[in-house]
């Protein structure tokens, strides 16, 4: 950290201290942070007050989201908690949480799995940032409750609920530097037993280029006039509909669906093998879900959900291109494509059916039980051996929540999973919380489980990307499993909350891409290209992540301040087939130190105008990678302002990356951050509501089959 940054941080901390001292003397207990009865559901799948949740849960509240005014979910998570890193590229955001990548993080929207895989990563553009009520984060293995993918943890995006009788219209338009446009429109209709919410979102960026230099180690020539962009121009939009019908005061039914489209525009260059791109990337998604909720009494409930989701990834050609022709994943001959021709790369479809019940038992117990069925279907003529692949998984799970002598709470769960290719597996989880006045002590031991995806098993694809690469699946892969140990201490006094949470996560048979000798690749694929680098999915011998997270938060009536710090270390043993030795490596993307700090102030100048001001800092040390260089450490500062005019109008404006930091590392190497430097933004929200909050006998608490959140 340079001298100027140290001075800035010192000034911010002194200002925070002064504001806390002033507010402590003048607040007169008119408002206390512990009066907010925050309800969380993600850790156990059932409702708990945040302060009494048996499983440590981090919440990004609606108030924090409004003040920060992030443009997307990546911006929000990295800006408001130190546990996350992102490395954005055309294919995905490459999320990392406490050392493990996106494929080990289960992302839920209102308790249901996000489906939108791009190269092994979810497309987070499917999440509309203007429709988020709050975010719940549970770290550590949660496969006992949620099944596969929940080895690093769970992120549950809880959307806004609109319960006002009558009609509600809302519009948010946001504009920023580099042609950044974010549009959100919503229409809510509530008439008697029927409710409808229609949501439209649009996102666009003109993209930017931080450098025109290609990394010399990645190309045959030293190129200083590349047309490759740091972030390419892109546009995406989504239209979603959610319907609910109150059949009886006890039974509610729902149906929803969405369509999504995304196009990434890639510039054509003139350096062979480097930045000659004659196709854009296009994604076409769709989803449909139906379900219901039956309240047996005040405590017991049964839910049923059935959902279907599709994610299709295509090349759209922008110039005449002679490319490889494949039949069922095997090269046949060269095939010409012309401008506007579209070629399917992969079509992934998910069908998921789940039945769940929550029941009260004697002696202060609550039992959750469920059945799940999942069917994955993949069609990828260019990328998968055989052209198609499928996978079936069934599971049954039980969880018991037990209160012992009031101060001690224990939650124990167990899931039995059967996968058609990998058989049966038990995954347990045990959590406990001890209440000692204002101190909460929590501990968790849990196991994670994740079977190889159809791509990891059957992938077979040649790609020109700063050289010729052959990517191979591996049908000999083993399923991954993990042991997670975490403890935490949370202490609250007045407006101040402190949390310290060390953890250890051991992952067995972690799957990763490994460079292997060319002679080990199929002969019919390597004879066409020489030289070639061959990468295959393989199991690591073992991998582990360990560290600690520390958070501090002061929340007053007008002033909030705090921060988070995350220390992380990782280790893994990986077999080097060329040297025939085992080598110890770090997990790609790891940074030892990350931190976030913030301070916000708000004031009602009248009943018609409220002003909010926030300063945010995000700091990261160097990020480590096995190949292609490390990412530089960086720190980014942000100023945001909000202006609320009555209940119906809101303006947000701010400056991101105040000190204009820009990572100009050549293309082909890893970046610490993709920011183009200092940017500005402004948004306007207009909301029209005619009606009153539903209070009739058909209004049940917030309906969602897995969220179960109350008003």
């Amino acid at each position: 950290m340079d001298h100027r940054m140290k001075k800035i941080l010192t000034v911010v901390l002194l200002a925070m201290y002064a504001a806390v001292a002033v507010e402590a003397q003048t607040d007169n207990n008119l408002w206390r942070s512990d009066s907010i009865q925050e309800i969380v559901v993600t850790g156990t799948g059932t409702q708990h007050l945040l302060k009494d949740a048996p499983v440590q849960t981090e919440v990004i509240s609606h108030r924090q989201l409004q003040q920060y005014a992030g443009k997307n979910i990546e911006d929000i998570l990295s800006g408001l908690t130190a546990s996350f890193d992102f490395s954005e590229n055309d294919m995905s955001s490459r999320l990392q949480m406490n050392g493990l990548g996106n494929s080990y993080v289960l992302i839920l929207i209102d308790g249901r799995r996000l489906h939108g895989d791009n190269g092994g990563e979810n497309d987070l553009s499917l999440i509309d940032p203007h429709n988020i009520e709050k975010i719940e984060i549970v770290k550590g293995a949660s496969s006992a409750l949620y099944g596969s993918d929940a080895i690093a943890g769970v992120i549950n995006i809880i959307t806004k609920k609109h319960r006002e009788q009558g009609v509600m219209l809302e519009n948010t338009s946001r504009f920023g530097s580099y042609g950044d446009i974010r549009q959100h429109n919503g229409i809510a209709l509530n008439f008697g037993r029927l409710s409808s919410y229609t949501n439209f979102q649009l996102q666009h960026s003109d993209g930017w280029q931080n450098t025109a230099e290609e990394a010399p180690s990645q190309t045959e020539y030293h190129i200083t006039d590349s047309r490759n962009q740091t972030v390419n121009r892109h546009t995406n939009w989504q239209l979603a509909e959610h319907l609910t019908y109150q059949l009886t005061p006890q039974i509610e039914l729902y149906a929803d669906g969405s369509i999504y489209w995304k196009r990434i525009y890639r510039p054509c260059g003139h350096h062979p093998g480097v930045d000659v791109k004659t196709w854009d990337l296009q994604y076409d998604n769709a989803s449909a879900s139906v379900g219901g909720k039956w309240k047996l009494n005040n405590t017991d409930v049964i839910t049923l959900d059935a959902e279907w989701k599709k994610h299709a990834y295509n090349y759209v050609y922008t110039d005449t291109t002679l490319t490889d022709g494949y039949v069922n994943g095997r090269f046949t001959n060269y095939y010409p494509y012309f401008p506007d021709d579209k070629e399917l790369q992969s079509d992934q479809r998910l069908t998921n059916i789940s039945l769940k019940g929550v029941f009260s038992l004697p002696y202060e117990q609550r039992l959750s039980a469920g059945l799940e069925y999942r069917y994955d279907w993949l069609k990828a003529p260019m990328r998968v051996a055989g052209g198609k692949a499928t996978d079936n998984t069934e599971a049954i799970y039980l969880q018991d929540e037990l209160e012992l002598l009031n101060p001690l709470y224990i939650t124990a769960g167990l899931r039995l999973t059967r996968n058609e290719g990998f058989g049966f597996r038990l995954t347990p989880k045990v959590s406990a919380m001890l209440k000692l006045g204002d101190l909460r002590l929590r501990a968790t031991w849990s196991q994670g489980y994740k079977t190889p995806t159809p791509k990891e098993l059957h992938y077979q694809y040649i790609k020109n990307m700063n050289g010729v690469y052959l990517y191979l699946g591996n049908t000999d892969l083993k399923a991954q499993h993990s042991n997670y140990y975490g403890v935490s201490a949370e202490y609250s006094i007045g407006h101040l909350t402190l949390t310290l949470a060390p953890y250890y996560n051991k992952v067995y048979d972690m799957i990763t891409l490994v460079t292997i000798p060319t002679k080990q690749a199929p002969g019919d694929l390597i004879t066409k290209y020489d030289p070639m680098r061959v990468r295959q999915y393989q199991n690591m011998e073992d991998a582990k992540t360990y560290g600690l997270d520390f958070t501090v938060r002061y929340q007053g009536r007008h002033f909030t301040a705090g921060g988070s710090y995350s220390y992380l270390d990782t280790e893994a043993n990986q077999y080097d087939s060329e040297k025939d030795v085992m080598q110890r490596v770090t997990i790609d993307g790891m940074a030892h130190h990350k931190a976030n700090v913030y301070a916000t102030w708000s004031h009602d100048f009248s009943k018609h105008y409220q002003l909010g001001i926030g300063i945010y800092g995000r700091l990261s040390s160097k990020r480590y990678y096995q190949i292609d260089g490390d990412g530089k450490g960086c720190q980014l500062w942000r100023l945001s302002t909000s202006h609320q005019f009555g209940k119906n109008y809101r303006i947000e404006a701010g400056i991101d990356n105040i000190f204009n930091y820009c990572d100009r590392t050549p293309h082909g190497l890893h970046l610490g951050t993709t920011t183009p430097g200092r940017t500005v933004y402004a948004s306007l929200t207009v909301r029209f509501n005619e009606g009153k909050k539903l209070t009739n006998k058909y209004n049940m608490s917030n309906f969602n089959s897995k969220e179960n959140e109350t008003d």
Side-chain angles (χ1 to χ4, degrees):
M1 184 183 299
D2 60 34
H3 182 66
R4 183 178 67 169
M5 290 297 101
K6 288 181 179 179
K7 290 176 64 177
I8 293 169
L9 185 56
T10 300
V11 170
V12 171
L13 293 175
L14 288 174
M16 289 165 56
Y17 174 79
V20 169
V22 170
E23 181 153 320
Q25 294 178 6
T26 60
D27 194 20
N28 293 324
N29 291 321
L30 291 174
W31 189 93
R32 292 175 57 84
S33 60
D34 59 8
S35 68
I36 295 181
Q37 301 298 296
E38 186 83 64
I39 298 290
V40 295
V41 296
T42 308
T44 62
T46 55
Q47 303 172 35
H48 289 277
L49 292 176
L50 175 60
K51 64 179 182 177
D52 293 333
V55 178
Q56 180 68 38
T57 304
E58 182 176 354
V59 174
I60 299 176
S61 67
H62 179 67
R63 180 179 180 182
Q64 289 175 284
L65 291 168
Q66 276 202 319
Q67 186 61 65
Y68 186 74
K71 67 179 181 180
N72 53 34
I73 191 64
E74 299 96 322
D75 188 19
I76 291 168
L77 290 175
S78 60
L80 293 176
T81 177
S83 301
F84 294 94
D85 266 319
F86 294 90
S87 302
E88 294 184 63
N89 63 12
D90 281 348
M91 297 298 293
S92 66
S93 300
R94 292 189 179 179
L95 177 153
Q96 189 182 80
M97 176 179 174
N98 283 356
L100 294 175
N102 181 234
S103 61
Y104 300 97
V105 181
L106 178 62
I107 301 175
L108 307 173
I109 300 179
D110 288 332
R112 287 185 283 164
R113 181 184 296 265
L114 178 69
H115 179 69
D117 176 79
N118 295 330
E121 309 284 335
N122 278 312
D123 184 358
L124 300 184
S125 298
L126 288 160
I127 302 169
D128 182 356
H130 298 292
N131 196 37
I132 300 175
E133 178 65 26
K134 65 176 179 177
I135 302 171
E136 296 181 6
I137 302 164
V138 175
K139 299 168 186 175
S142 299
S143 293
L145 188 61
Y146 292 106
S148 186
D149 302 339
I151 286 181
V154 178
I155 303 170
N156 192 7
I157 311 294
I158 297 173
T159 61
K160 297 176 181 177
K161 303 301 181 290
H162 307 280
R163 303 187 185 92
E164 296 86 354
Q165 185 74 11
V167 179
M168 187 280 294
L169 304 174
E170 60 183 358
N171 172 84
T172 298
S173 300
R174 173 180 168 133
F175 302 92
S177 303
Y178 298 95
D180 186 70
I181 300 172
R182 311 279 159 161
Q183 180 67 37
H184 162 82
N185 299 96
I187 303 175
L189 305 173
N190 289 291
F191 298 104
R193 302 185 184 191
L194 182 65
S195 298
S196 165
Y197 182 68
T198 307
N199 178 65
F200 172 80
Q201 66 149 329
L202 174 99
Q203 302 178 16
H204 172 82
S205 172
D206 289 341
W208 59 84
Q209 184 186 61
N210 290 346
T211 179
E213 182 181 4
E214 296 285 345
S217 61
Q218 302 289 306
T219 60
E220 185 177 354
Y221 309 102
H222 186 202
I223 298 171
T224 58
D225 60 346
S226 171
R227 293 194 62 191
N228 271 336
Q229 302 287 296
T230 305
V231 172
N232 283 321
R233 182 166 68 95
H234 57 272
T235 302
N236 62 271
W237 59 262
Q238 182 181 50
L239 180 65
E241 171 65 29
H242 182 77
L243 291 169
T244 62
Y245 181 73
Q246 201 73 52
L247 184 64
T248 72
Q250 292 77 36
I251 299 176
E252 188 168 75
L253 307 176
Y254 81 89
D256 58 33
S258 69
I259 54 174
Y260 170 88
W261 178 90
K262 183 175 183 178
R263 180 82 172 256
I264 299 172
Y265 303 91
R266 312 205 304 171
C268 292
H270 55 277
H271 296 292
V274 178
D275 59 349
V276 173
K277 297 183 178 66
T278 58
W279 60 86
D280 293 337
L281 308 180
Q282 181 173 307
Y283 306 101
D284 298 286
N285 286 24
S287 70
S289 304
V290 294
K293 178 177 181 179
W294 180 18
K295 293 190 68 174
L296 304 177
N297 50 51
N298 290 333
T299 58
D300 300 346
V301 62
I302 295 175
T303 60
L304 176 65
D305 297 273
E307 55 184 331
W308 172 87
K309 295 182 179 181
K310 170 190 173 183
H311 171 77
Y313 164 45
N314 303 276
Y315 285 174
V316 179
Y317 287 89
T318 55
D319 200 356
T320 302
T321 304
L322 189 66
T323 188
D324 299 344
Y326 288 78
V327 175
N328 293 329
R330 292 291 180 178
F331 174 78
T332 55
N333 50 34
Y334 293 102
Y335 187 84
Y337 285 91
F338 301 98
D340 296 326
D341 282 350
K342 187 165 72 171
E343 181 187 31
L344 176 68
Q345 301 300 303
S346 68
D347 183 354
Q348 301 173 81
R349 302 186 186 186
L350 167 69
T351 301
N352 198 81
I353 301 173
S354 62
L355 175 66
K356 177 181 177 180
V358 179
F359 309 98
S360 293
L361 300 179
Y363 307 108
E364 300 296 331
Q365 294 186 84
R366 182 161 47 175
L367 177 70
S368 299
L371 299 169
E372 290 188 2
Y373 169 76
R374 173 173 173 170
Y375 176 70
D376 287 278
W377 180 88
L378 169 66
K379 178 181 179 181
M382 297 284 293
R383 296 170 179 265
V384 168
K388 294 181 181 179
T390 62
D391 189 46
N392 282 281
T393 303
E394 303 90 34
I396 181 173
Y397 64 90
L398 295 170
Q399 176 184 268
D400 188 22
E401 301 175 62
L402 175 64
E403 179 181 332
L404 295 176
L405 304 176
N406 190 28
L408 180 61
Y409 297 82
I410 296 176
T411 300
L414 182 67
R415 172 181 289 253
L416 175 63
T417 301
R418 191 207 74 88
N419 180 269
E420 65 173 324
F422 296 91
F424 290 89
R425 178 78 186 192
L426 285 171
T427 50
K429 180 173 184 176
V430 179
S431 298
M433 181 188 68
L434 180 63
K435 296 168 57 176
L436 300 173
D438 293 323
L439 178 66
R440 302 289 191 274
L441 300 177
R442 296 179 175 92
T444 294
W445 167 71
S446 57
Q447 290 189 342
Y449 180 62
K450 178 176 171 60
T451 56
T453 66
K455 278 189 174 182
E456 292 167 340
L457 291 168
H458 304 289
Y459 214 68
Q460 191 166 287
Y461 174 60
I462 294 174
K463 184 174 183 180
N464 282 296
M465 183 179 65
N466 296 332
V468 180
Y469 287 79
L470 170 62
Y471 292 93
L472 294 175
N474 185 353
T475 55
D476 294 327
L477 288 174
K478 304 174 186 177
Q480 303 163 93
H481 62 283
S482 69
N483 273 297
Y484 173 83
Y485 305 88
V487 297
S488 68
E490 178 184 293
Y491 182 68
S492 299
I493 179 170
H495 301 277
L496 186 66
T497 301
L498 304 168
T499 304
L500 180 66
Y503 62 89
Y504 177 88
N505 204 353
K506 181 71 174 287
V507 184
Y508 301 89
D509 297 319
M510 174 181 277
I511 295 174
T512 187
L513 277 170
V514 176
T515 301
I516 64 174
T518 304
K519 62 183 179 181
Q520 296 183 16
D524 61 330
L525 291 174
I526 63 173
T527 53
K528 302 191 290 101
Y529 297 99
D530 187 28
M532 170 185 283
R533 297 179 68 182
V534 182
R535 307 202 77 196
Q536 184 180 46
Y537 288 104
Q538 293 188 2
N539 293 107
M540 286 186 176
E541 292 300 312
D542 63 70
K544 58 185 177 183
T545 70
Y546 54 93
L548 63 85
D549 295 328
F550 173 73
T551 61
V552 55
R553 177 174 176 80
Y554 174 88
Q555 185 165 330
R557 183 178 179 85
H558 300 288
F559 178 78
T560 67
S564 59
Y565 166 76
S566 179
Y567 170 77
L568 170 68
D569 206 349
T570 67
E571 296 178 17
N573 290 319
Q574 182 173 299
Y575 178 66
D576 187 331
S577 57
E578 292 186 347
K579 299 179 181 179
D580 194 27
V581 296
M582 191 70 67
Q583 60 178 352
R584 183 169 292 276
V585 299
T586 60
I587 297 176
D588 279 352
M590 180 204 73
H592 283 304
H593 307 281
K594 298 188 296 293
N596 298 76
V597 295
Y598 67 91
T600 70
W601 176 81
S602 63
H603 184 72
D604 295 322
F605 286 92
S606 72
K607 65 179 181 180
H608 300 296
Y609 176 66
Q610 180 191 72
L611 171 66
I613 300 174
I615 182 75
Y616 301 85
R618 175 159 51 102
L619 304 88
S620 175
S621 61
K622 179 169 64 175
R623 301 183 66 185
Y624 294 90
Y625 293 88
Q626 296 178 44
I627 61 173
D628 298 333
D630 297 326
K632 298 177 182 177
C634 62
Q635 52 179 297
L636 307 173
W637 291 86
R638 175 191 186 98
L639 174 67
S640 68
T641 68
S642 62
H643 312 265
Q644 185 75 39
F645 299 91
K647 296 181 178 180
N648 298 328
Y649 302 95
R650 181 179 178 86
I651 293 175
E652 296 169 348
I655 304 172
D656 206 0
N657 196 354
I658 298 172
F659 301 105
N660 200 31
Y661 175 78
C662 184
D663 187 347
R664 303 195 185 278
T665 299
H667 297 295
L669 303 180
H670 294 290
L671 302 176
T673 174
T674 58
T675 175
R678 185 184 300 115
T679 59
V680 298
Y681 70 89
S683 70
L684 170 65
T685 297
V686 179
R687 192 172 190 270
F688 170 79
N689 178 36
E690 183 179 277
K692 59 183 180 179
K693 193 165 185 176
L694 290 173
T695 57
N696 64 52
K697 64 179 181 180
Y698 295 110
N699 179 37
M700 298 171 63
S701 61
N702 173 22
F703 172 73
N704 184 277
S705 61
K706 296 184 181 178
E707 181 192 329
N708 292 328
E709 184 194 51
T710 60
D711 287 326

